Amino acid sequence: MRSTWLALALLVIAGCGSEDAASVDDSVRWRRVFDQLPGALISVSGTSEKDVWTVGGDPGTGATVLHFDGAQWRALDTGMNVDLWWVHPFAGGPVFFGGSQGTILRWQGGSFEKMTTPSDATVFGIWGTSPDDLWAVGGVPAEPGKAFVWRWDGSTWSVASGLPKPKVASYFKVWGRSADDVRIVGMDGAILEWDGTSFSEAASPTTTRLLTLYAEPEGYWVAVGGLSNAVVLEDHGSGWQDVSPSGLVKASIGVRLAGEDGYAVGNGGSVLRRVDGTWQPEDTGIQVYGDFHATWIDPKGGVWAVGGDLLSSPLVHGVMLHKGPPVSASIEGQ
């Protein structure tokens, strides 16, 4: 089945590369890396521009997992028919993946291991300071009160101690600046904060779903979401403030920061960039059929945006754009 997936991917790539010729200024040029891959691409992250992971939907042949080593991509077979919603890599490994059916996978030593988890609810986000200290969040978006927060202590995934009774159907992402400064966002504008000892519910300026959040270790916080319009929140130390651009009708889904710079991606292939402290639309110059779901900024400043048809079943038509020097679209099958 993997050979069929690879053949389709290579056929699509061969047909769409001509529009993305070299630019005079590589640093400000968006290019299409993939388009119409069998599975939607839902998450992207890495430890360097030579260690990039993107994961996503199961088009019927298994979960989509691609790894880039700086020269080419490699398709990895998890052996599981699930959708993967998040990837969290550590330099040198391991790499953790979260997805549907309560799935958490660990990639280590060249193979996947399915970890035992407390339930079969969807895992939408994973973050941690080390491979032995992790958080996982998710839920059942159609069922109020099903949001969860799990902890990994190096041996067992369990429900986080002291977690307030969830009021929402799902939490979507978790991130931290340190082990004692962790935040979680979810449905209905929910924001949880962990100070290393206990949870608190932060005052949120929105009741709209928040889908992703991010902060650098010494930086400010940003969270994005929305339904029919983009919602962008920031916290510079005095509480969350709504800094959403006005007049935008496309929700933001993924976000990443690099100092004062930042990118948010979302519905309809939309991209926002943080310029001089404000979020402004950025035209990639490339038409995207579908939605972006995640973005990542590598240590060299390259920007990666991934998505696909996120409203279909199965989740299909994976797309990736990259801003920076050209990136290979060559995929090696396992």
Side-chain angles (χ1 to χ4, degrees):
M1 289 188 294
R2 177 59 60 180
S3 60
T4 301
W5 188 100
L6 180 60
L8 287 170
L10 292 176
L11 180 61
V12 168
I13 293 162
C16 70
S18 60
E19 71 175 18
D20 300 315
S23 172
V24 174
D25 187 348
D26 281 340
S27 67
V28 297
R29 171 69 185 267
W30 286 94
R31 291 178 175 80
R32 193 189 309 269
V33 181
F34 299 125
D35 192 21
Q36 298 288 307
L37 291 179
L41 301 179
I42 304 176
S43 177
V44 60
S45 190
T47 64
S48 76
E49 74 284 358
K50 297 181 180 179
D51 180 26
V52 184
W53 293 83
T54 186
V55 303
D58 169 18
T61 55
T64 299
V65 178
L66 298 175
H67 178 249
F68 183 61
D69 63 6
Q72 68 177 12
W73 295 88
R74 183 184 179 197
L76 302 177
D77 189 356
T78 66
M80 298 194 63
N81 290 97
V82 296
D83 297 322
L84 294 178
W85 287 88
W86 197 248
V87 56
H88 186 67
F90 290 93
V95 183
F96 292 86
F97 308 82
S100 58
Q101 302 176 31
T103 299
I104 296 181
L105 303 177
R106 177 170 53 190
W107 166 265
Q108 188 168 263
S111 63
F112 288 97
E113 171 195 0
K114 186 179 186 298
M115 308 180 82
T116 300
T117 60
S119 82
D120 62 358
T122 299
V123 180
F124 288 114
I126 297 175
W127 176 86
T129 57
S130 76
D132 294 328
D133 182 13
L134 294 167
W135 299 75
V137 302
V140 183
E143 299 185 30
K146 291 294 187 178
F148 68 78
V149 179
W150 301 337
R151 297 293 307 272
W152 169 254
D153 61 6
S155 61
T156 305
W157 283 103
S158 59
V159 176
S161 177
L163 179 70
K165 184 177 180 179
K167 301 175 182 178
V168 296
S170 185
Y171 297 123
F172 289 121
K173 292 296 180 288
V174 56
W175 200 265
R177 294 191 294 194
S178 65
D180 58 3
D181 184 7
V182 180
R183 303 191 184 189
I184 297 162
V185 297
M187 299 283 287
D188 303 334
I191 304 174
L192 287 181
E193 300 182 355
W194 167 262
D195 63 6
T197 302
S198 62
F199 289 98
S200 61
E201 297 180 345
S204 176
T206 184
T207 58
T208 302
R209 64 180 187 178
L210 295 172
L211 296 167
T212 307
L213 80 165
Y214 184 77
E216 294 181 302
E218 303 297 329
Y220 57 94
W221 288 92
V222 62
V224 300
L227 289 171
S228 58
N229 61 296
V231 172
V232 184
L233 311 181
E234 290 185 357
D235 182 358
H236 293 258
S238 57
W240 289 95
Q241 305 295 321
D242 191 332
V243 296
S244 307
S246 61
L248 298 184
V249 295
K250 296 178 180 178
S252 290
I253 302 175
V255 69
R256 203 76 173 195
L257 299 169
E260 292 300 311
D261 200 3
Y263 289 83
V265 300
N267 288 354
S270 60
V271 176
L272 299 178
R273 184 175 182 182
R274 193 175 190 273
V275 180
D276 297 329
T278 63
W279 293 88
Q280 305 172 15
E282 175 159 302
D283 184 4
T284 66
I286 300 173
Q287 189 168 16
V288 173
Y289 298 97
D291 302 317
F292 284 136
H293 195 269
T295 186
W296 177 63
I297 305 173
D298 68 44
K300 292 291 184 65
V303 186
W304 309 71
V306 299
D309 189 346
L310 305 177
L311 298 179
S312 67
S313 181
L315 303 173
V316 293
H317 300 156
V319 60
M320 172 185 285
L321 267 57
H322 176 259
K323 185 179 184 180
V327 171
S328 172
S330 173
I331 301 177
E332 175 192 2
Q334 188 169 354

